[in-house]
Amino acid sequence: MNPNVDRPEDTRWRGSDELELILGPEDAAFRDEVRAFIDENLPADTRRRVENEKVLSKSDHVRWQKILHEKGWIAPGWPVEYGGTGWSPLRRHILDEELGLAPTPRIIPFGLSMVGPVIMEFGDADQKARYLPRILASDDWWCQGYSEPGAGSDLASLRTRAVADGDDYIVNGQKTWTTLAQYADMIFCLVRTATEGKPQEGISFLLIDMTSPGVTVRPIVTIDGGREVNEVFLEDVRVPQANRVGEENKGWTYAKFLLGHERTNIAEIGQSKRELARVEAIAAREMSGGRPLIEDPAFRLKLAAAEVDLMALESIVLRVIGEESAGHAPGPEASLIKIKGTEVQQCLTELMIEAIGPYAAPFVPEALEDGWNEAPIGPDHAAAVAPRYFNWRKASIYGGSNEIQRNIIAKSVLGLR
Ligand SMILES: Cc1cc2nc3c(=O)[nH]c(=O)nc-3n(C[C@H](O)[C@H](O)[C@H](O)COP(=O)(O)OP(=O)(O)OC[C@H]3O[C@@H](n4cnc5c(N)ncnc54)[C@H](O)[C@@H]3O)c2cc1C
């Protein structure tokens, strides 16, 4: 495949072994401006924590998001009237990529990339005025209440009930795998408001204040020892009907609109390029058979394969961006990007494990806490590798599992039943 075909004009690859796009002069100047801004404005303590793979706090995220907001760069994809930038999709990609390449905290997507666009598209004037500015300023932390025990891939079978009571709904049920709900001020939930007809037809989209009586958050400790996901219990929670987005029983339409956004965001090209550089740096320091591992032909082959995959992924993302510029929304490409993006992410964690060998075995989760200063077991760079490897098994599950994405491709691209 010629990687320079079908991309936005003015982009092509630099050389054969450097994963960097060559941009036209204006976009290149913009990229330099982004790099300089990150360099000057990323708080030093946050930078250090990201570089050392430490667990980040809520304030690491919020502080950085507020800095980007002040610059006007926090929601480049939003329409200008709501605080977006009006940039071309290529500029948005450049910002995304630079944010991923640099040691910055990941932008939390639940408000900015998920519920924000849903409120813009389907919310009423009051909801827009109330929530959008607070999402933009990171004043509210949102979480996503879709999945339930027994309703993940088969989301339409969700059972959390919302029963009308005067101007309110009374909500009862349980959400699960709710990412970072422990920090959240608000949760957007799919709830069942009707039981007749097809399951998809009885679902509504509710915005729920996490401080409402009856909301309980319980942690699920993940295999790497992390606290990232939760169960959220809803017991007789009173939610104003004014917090329903759009029409009653039409929530499935809004939910699907949101999932398209979720999947294209998962590619995280810049982040994977940073991880690739990390694998290379580790392999340059680890020895194998009396020479640096990076010189081992078998390892180099695997590294090259990962790099080619990443390059191909970026090519697809740029093609989708090119089509977006021409006004076409992403279709099944979103599924392809989700599968390939997460496969690359997981492959890089596997290569890191391979590079550090037996030092991957000791399990010391405390080493990832800020302020831990015991002597490391093995080289400094080893502590985060195994937890990261285990943590990233999640990537092929969340955002709609990769098997489900393959089903989507089979049906919508290959026409299989
Ligand atoms: C780290 C993490 C964070 C998450 N964060 C959130 C969040 O913030 N909010 C939220 O709402 N949800 C979240 N989720 C939930 C996520 O969306 C679900 O885990 C996912 O949709 C899969 O559902 P499930 O876990 O119920 O697995 P199941 O649906 O039970 O699937 C089990 C296995 O069967 C396979 N499978 C199921 N159906 C089919 C089929 N038809 N064809 C082929 N294979 C199939 C799946 O691929 C999977 O391998 C998160 C999950 C993880 C792991």
Side-chain angles (χ1 to χ4, degrees):
M1 179 176 78
N2 177 349
N4 290 323
V5 169
D6 286 341
R7 299 157 181 284
E9 279 177 28
D10 253 4
T11 63
R12 59 201 169 84
W13 297 102
R14 180 194 302 285
S16 58
D17 65 349
E18 211 177 322
L19 255 183
E20 184 165 281
L21 286 174
I22 298 184
L23 302 164
E26 285 179 12
D27 288 321
F30 171 70
R31 182 190 54 204
D32 294 343
E33 183 191 345
V34 173
R35 284 185 182 168
F37 178 81
I38 295 172
D39 244 23
E40 284 159 27
N41 293 281
L42 178 62
D45 56 339
T46 300
R47 172 188 287 272
R48 182 179 47 73
R49 276 192 280 280
V50 178
E51 278 173 346
N52 296 328
E53 309 257 335
K54 299 286 183 191
V55 175
L56 299 185
S57 65
K58 176 175 182 176
S59 73
D60 281 314
H61 288 281
V62 172
R63 184 169 47 151
W64 176 235
Q65 290 188 187
K66 281 184 175 288
I67 290 170
L68 287 171
H69 171 54
E70 268 169 41
K71 179 72 177 164
W73 286 358
I74 191 63
W78 284 23
V80 176
E81 57 177 310
Y82 294 122
T85 56
W87 289 344
S88 68
L90 179 60
R91 287 251 164 134
R92 282 162 23 207
H93 175 71
I94 293 169
L95 178 69
D96 263 3
E97 178 154 326
E98 293 304 323
L99 290 174
L101 277 168
T104 65
R106 169 173 288 140
I107 306 288
I108 302 298
F110 304 109
L112 289 157
S113 307
M114 295 189 189
V115 76
V118 170
I119 293 173
M120 270 178 244
E121 187 79 13
F122 306 106
D124 62 28
D126 284 348
Q127 290 166 348
K128 289 177 188 173
R130 181 161 168 207
Y131 295 115
L132 296 180
R134 295 183 62 79
I135 292 174
L136 213 55
S138 298
D139 287 338
D140 288 330
W141 184 297
W142 284 80
C143 63
Q144 178 184 26
Y146 274 24
S147 307
E148 298 181 5
S153 303
D154 182 17
L155 188 57
S157 66
L158 63 90
R159 285 181 304 177
T160 293
R161 261 332 284 273
V163 178
D165 182 47
D167 290 341
D168 298 335
Y169 287 110
I170 308 286
V171 181
N172 278 287
Q174 183 195 342
K175 296 294 173 181
T176 192
W177 306 119
T178 323
T179 300
L180 300 177
Q182 71 269 33
Y183 298 150
D185 305 293
M186 296 290 298
I187 180 169
F188 55 91
C189 278
L190 294 180
V191 295
R192 183 153 300 289
T193 36
T195 49
E196 311 84 45
K198 285 191 354 192
Q200 289 85 346
E201 285 164 7
I203 291 172
S204 299
F205 195 106
L206 283 191
L207 312 177
I208 304 180
D209 186 332
M210 290 292 281
T211 61
S212 314
V215 177
T216 310
V217 177
R218 253 191 240 157
I220 302 171
V221 177
T222 45
I223 192 170
D224 57 319
R227 166 124 200 237
E228 178 177 325
V229 282
N230 301 272
E231 296 177 289
V232 177
F233 296 89
L234 303 151
E235 287 168 277
D236 291 330
V237 180
R238 197 164 267 282
V239 182
Q241 292 208 21
N243 282 21
R244 188 190 67 234
V245 175
E247 288 178 55
E248 192 172 69
N249 299 330
K250 291 280 190 288
W252 191 249
T253 309
Y254 318 141
K256 282 196 301 185
F257 170 86
L258 182 150
L259 285 173
H261 281 257
E262 182 174 358
R263 280 168 198 155
T264 35
N265 280 325
I266 282 174
E268 306 206 30
I269 308 275
Q271 175 94 7
S272 285
K273 286 185 181 177
R274 177 150 58 91
E275 288 297 292
L276 182 71
R278 203 167 123 72
V279 179
E280 286 170 349
I282 291 176
R285 276 183 279 166
E286 293 296 323
M287 300 300 283
S288 164
R291 61 181 172 178
L293 180 63
I294 193 92
E295 292 172 15
D296 176 280
F299 191 80
R300 286 183 75 83
L301 207 59
K302 291 182 205 168
L303 205 56
E307 194 160 343
V308 168
D309 270 358
L310 184 51
M311 208 167 162
L313 175 67
E314 186 167 28
S315 201
I316 298 166
V317 168
L318 287 169
R319 184 180 298 188
V320 170
I321 287 173
E323 285 177 8
E324 258 189 285
S325 305
H328 305 296
E333 301 91 338
S335 296
L336 203 151
I337 289 170
K338 199 271 161 165
I339 295 171
K340 207 65 217 171
T342 54
E343 283 180 354
V344 168
Q345 288 156 7
Q346 292 185 338
C347 168
L348 292 172
T349 66
E350 285 152 25
L351 288 175
M352 268 186 230
I353 287 274
E354 194 175 327
I356 64 164
Y359 292 122
F363 180 59
V364 192
E366 308 80 36
L368 304 184
E369 298 294 333
D370 207 22
W372 190 81
N373 52 13
E374 302 285 314
I377 304 172
D380 278 349
H381 55 242
V385 169
R388 190 166 181 77
Y389 165 84
F390 286 115
N391 184 278
W392 279 92
R393 301 303 96 197
K394 69 188 176 186
S396 44
I397 304 172
Y398 61 37
S401 77
N402 287 12
E403 289 78 13
I404 295 298
Q405 303 311 317
R406 287 192 178 89
N407 285 353
I408 293 172
I409 292 171
K411 276 190 202 152
S412 58
V413 181
L414 306 176
L416 301 174
R417 295 257 137 216

